[in-house]
Amino acid sequence: MAAAPGGSAPPAGPSPRLAFSTADSGGGMSGLNPGPAVPMKDHDAIKLFVGQIPRGLDEQDLKPLFEEFGRIYELTVLKDRLTGLHKGCAFLTYCARDSALKAQSALHEQKTLPGMNRPIQVKPAASEGRGEDRKLFVGMLGKQQGEEDVRRLFQPFGHIEECTVLRSPDGTSKGCAFVKFGSQGEAQAAIQGLHGSRTMTGASSSLVVKLADTDRERALRRMQQMAGQLGAFHPAPLPLGACGAYTTAILQHQAALLAAAQGPGLGQVAAVAAQMQHVAAFSLVAAPLLPAAANTSPGGNGPGALPGLPAPMGVNGFGSLTPQSNGQPGSDTLYNNGVSPYPAQSPGVADPLQQAYAGIHHYAAAYPSAYAPASTAFSQQPSALPQQQREGPEGCNLFIYHLPQEFGDAELIQTFLPFGAVVSAKVFVDRATNQSKCFGFVSFDNPTSAQTAIQAMNGFQIGMKRLKVQLKRPKDANRPY
DNA sequence: TTATATT
């Protein structure tokens, strides 16, 4: 419940910055008792990330819980930029650093808010930069500048925890230093404010302010992360190809199903579409070997049917998932089958991959019903459906297990698109490793599509595994003990 | 093996 409108003012003292509070920057008390309109925060305050918040709770609801630990400087529930949908988490900054520490130790994983099945998270936000992301390397200092000079320079940007000028054994400055701030934000501010901003006396070029990590360390770490994400010890092309193959197999399977379920005409159309899909997927790996792959499309579109490539979707360029991509009339942000007719222009496209794209689009434009077998041709389209990743109505949400490791959201969407309008599709990813957990959720806008998808895809074999596709377990039925 | 999200 939000606070009753027009009723009680917040407790005495300045209002914290709540995202929902009405704009009242002046304090609004006509000069009497002019406490600070905006509370002050410690220079080394910690921004906290708060997770596992029930989506029904806004800032006003949350405030009492957190005020126990000190005055709140700012509290913001995260919302989807487009839809305003509550994302189930928030940022919280106390005026005092100590309040944050107390709140973290008292609340983090210590209690579960109503309706949640995991305990609340209260911990420094990712932006607070654990470790070295708040430590700066400073170069191009003057040789005569000591720690005090450097501190004076950086002090305006925040709380300096460490400041060390690098020196030769004889004590002379090497013209560089390390400066560690209390937070990553402060460090970033210093970079913004100081890097290149001036040339110190005796230095040969302008001041250098950057994160202390060397580029090499940074690159190394990034590569390790990427290797982890790919779940492989070999370079990228192989997983990409494998992923395309999976999608292709599934689409062919779907084509067969459609062929069986529908009249011969449409079935054939779907089968051909899957065939072309295969071409497109394969082209990503072996494009140069495939001359004029797309010329099987009806109407024989010559080169030039396609403007520049649409942004490739997933691994195989099937459809356009970009909301309102070309300002097409009637385009919407629901994931439908996404086959929009691209206007012809820009002649001279000869690349096989592009032709494959062109073929699919062209073909799909000619036979839209073949690509929208289950839903979009029939269900009315809400005019401005926001792109959200949330549950659909009861009976519309699927749990999918045994996904291939390579499957991402895009592949999941594509796999389930033929069965209806996909409201959301999410592959679960391990936070630490960014690896897929091989399960995910797909939500349709109607139960029939969901049932169709279960019928078609449950038990579908991929490699050694079979997909499990079933309705998502209702929220209340999953309490362990 | 059933929604863990980072302005």
Side-chain angles (χ1 to χ4, degrees):
Chain A
M1 294 296 203
S8 54
S15 317
R17 303 175 172 199
L18 300 186
F20 272 165
S21 62
T22 50
D24 187 20
S25 54
M29 292 304 285
S30 67
L32 284 183
N33 189 14
V38 173
M40 222 51 188
K41 76 174 166 78
D42 288 355
H43 51 225
D44 55 355
I46 302 168
K47 176 171 287 195
L48 297 172
F49 173 82
V50 182
Q52 293 299 325
I53 301 171
R55 292 177 200 259
L57 299 189
D58 67 17
E59 286 85 352
Q60 294 296 342
D61 305 318
L62 263 10
K63 194 163 82 123
L65 173 63
F66 295 111
E67 270 180 341
E68 299 212 15
F69 305 97
R71 186 184 297 286
I72 293 171
Y73 174 74
E74 188 167 31
L75 171 61
T76 312
V77 166
L78 270 60
K79 305 209 186 63
D80 184 280
R81 181 170 18 136
L82 293 156
T83 68
L85 242 60
H86 194 303
K87 290 169 110 167
C89 54
F91 286 116
L92 166 64
T93 309
Y94 285 97
C95 299
R97 178 184 178 88
D98 184 53
S99 304
L101 297 172
K102 282 198 290 205
Q104 180 178 2
S105 64
L107 294 176
H108 181 63
E109 303 251 315
Q110 294 306 121
K111 92 182 253 171
T112 300
L113 265 16
M116 297 289 102
N117 45 21
R118 312 179 69 129
I120 193 172
Q121 304 291 301
V122 179
K123 58 195 183 187
S127 61
E128 293 298 272
R130 315 169 310 288
E132 297 310 294
D133 283 351
R134 52 202 173 107
K135 186 174 181 181
L136 301 177
F137 171 83
V138 185
M140 290 298 147
L141 290 167
K143 302 276 196 229
Q144 77 293 348
Q145 290 181 289
E147 271 78 3
E148 282 315 306
D149 303 300
V150 176
R151 280 184 183 272
R152 257 197 298 280
L153 199 55
F154 284 82
Q155 192 179 315
F157 300 95
H159 173 66
I160 298 172
E161 287 190 4
E162 282 175 32
C163 176
T164 316
V165 170
L166 275 64
R167 299 177 187 280
S168 309
D170 66 3
T172 64
S173 165
K174 291 185 169 178
C176 56
F178 288 113
V179 174
K180 187 173 182 180
F181 276 102
S183 75
Q184 188 188 31
E186 293 168 336
Q188 288 298 338
I191 292 173
Q192 298 283 340
L194 290 178
H195 179 68
S197 67
R198 67 198 77 179
T199 300
M200 308 313 291
T201 311
S204 59
S205 77
S206 62
L207 193 62
V208 170
V209 182
K210 52 191 273 199
L211 291 177
D213 269 335
T214 67
D215 290 341
R216 197 169 164 282
E217 284 169 324
R218 206 151 271 276
L220 202 64
R221 193 185 308 162
R222 244 184 309 227
M223 290 189 64
Q224 284 164 346
Q225 270 181 354
M226 291 192 63
Q229 285 171 13
L230 290 171
F233 298 103
H234 46 249
L238 208 49
L240 185 63
C243 199
Y246 281 131
T247 309
T248 299
I250 288 172
L251 284 164
Q252 285 177 330
H253 175 75
Q254 288 169 342
L257 284 167
L258 290 170
Q262 301 180 344
L266 284 185
Q268 258 186 343
V269 161
V272 175
Q275 220 34 60
M276 300 181 65
Q277 179 67 38
H278 185 267
V279 169
F282 187 59
S283 296
L284 270 185
V285 180
L289 305 178
L290 286 175
N295 281 342
T296 52
S297 58
N301 62 301
L306 181 67
L309 266 186
M313 294 315 303
V315 289
N316 48 25
F318 174 37
S320 165
L321 300 180
T322 308
Q324 292 149 16
S325 48
N326 279 344
Q328 307 271 345
S331 72
D332 58 65
T333 55
L334 184 68
Y335 293 128
N336 55 29
N337 62 10
V339 282
S340 48
Y342 282 79
Q345 46 180 297
S346 131
V349 178
D351 174 68
L353 175 55
Q354 294 198 9
Q355 291 189 9
Y357 277 112
I360 287 172
H361 284 141
H362 183 107
Y363 189 82
Y367 297 94
S369 62
Y371 261 25
S375 103
T376 53
F378 302 104
S379 66
Q380 78 279 26
Q381 305 275 341
S383 51
L385 230 170
Q387 176 183 343
Q388 56 192 32
Q389 50 155 250
R390 208 55 225 133
E391 293 191 10
E394 185 74 30
C396 300
N397 307 296
L398 302 182
F399 170 66
I400 296 105
Y401 193 54
H402 292 148
L403 289 170
Q405 180 71 46
E406 299 85 352
F407 252 56
D409 293 352
E411 287 75 34
L412 196 61
I413 289 168
Q414 296 197 350
T415 302
F416 285 87
L417 259 177
F419 307 107
V422 174
V423 170
S424 81
K426 190 93 203 133
V427 171
F428 259 67
V429 164
D430 183 277
R431 278 206 310 308
T433 66
N434 258 337
Q435 302 246 38
S436 164
K437 291 180 152 172
C438 297
F439 71 87
F441 298 93
V442 170
S443 297
F444 288 100
D445 68 346
N446 71 86
T448 306
S449 295
Q451 287 303 327
T452 308
I454 291 173
Q455 293 303 322
M457 297 307 293
N458 186 39
F460 179 67
Q461 183 162 353
I462 301 181
M464 299 269 78
K465 304 196 290 190
R466 287 179 182 278
L467 286 185
K468 174 187 278 194
V469 181
Q470 47 187 225
L471 283 180
K472 181 181 116 53
R473 208 188 269 155
K475 188 172 67 184
D476 36 307
N478 62 356
R479 285 284 151 92
Y481 312 118

